[in-house]
């Protein structure tokens, strides 16, 4: 299974990618379980791609 995803910031696409889940890993999963597996795969991708840095500049 291939899943195309896009990361957009302020409405502008910054990154696109295609994630893959091997069909044999999906096996006998229900549709809900497959959806959960896709969400986990996407969250893992986002965790790797997105970093937010901040600092206090005025107190």
């Amino acid at each position: 299974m291939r899943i195309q995803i896009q990361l957009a910031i302020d409405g502008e696409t910054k990154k696109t990618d295609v994630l893959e889940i091997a069909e044999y890993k999906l096996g006998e999963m229900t549709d809900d379980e497959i959806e959960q597996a896709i969400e986990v795969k996407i969250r893992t991708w986002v965790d790797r791609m997105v970093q937010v840095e901040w600092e206090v500049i005025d107190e």
Side-chain angles (χ1 to χ4, degrees):
M1 174 182 287
R2 293 169 44 102
I3 305 132
Q4 182 172 342
I5 60 175
Q6 296 180 2
L7 174 64
I9 298 174
D10 199 21
E12 185 178 335
T13 300
K14 298 293 184 180
K15 177 114 176 124
T16 61
D17 207 347
V18 175
L19 304 179
E20 294 188 37
I21 300 176
E23 291 292 332
Y24 75 89
K25 289 186 177 182
L26 301 177
E28 304 275 328
M29 289 183 169
T30 66
D31 288 347
D32 287 339
E33 292 170 330
I34 291 171
E35 186 174 326
Q36 289 174 352
I38 292 168
E39 289 174 358
V40 167
K41 188 85 169 170
I42 291 171
R43 272 189 249 119
T44 301
W45 181 88
V46 170
D47 286 346
R48 282 194 334 254
M49 294 294 150
V50 176
Q51 298 174 3
V52 176
E53 297 179 6
W54 60 274
E55 68 179 83
V56 175
I57 58 173
D58 191 10
E59 290 186 27

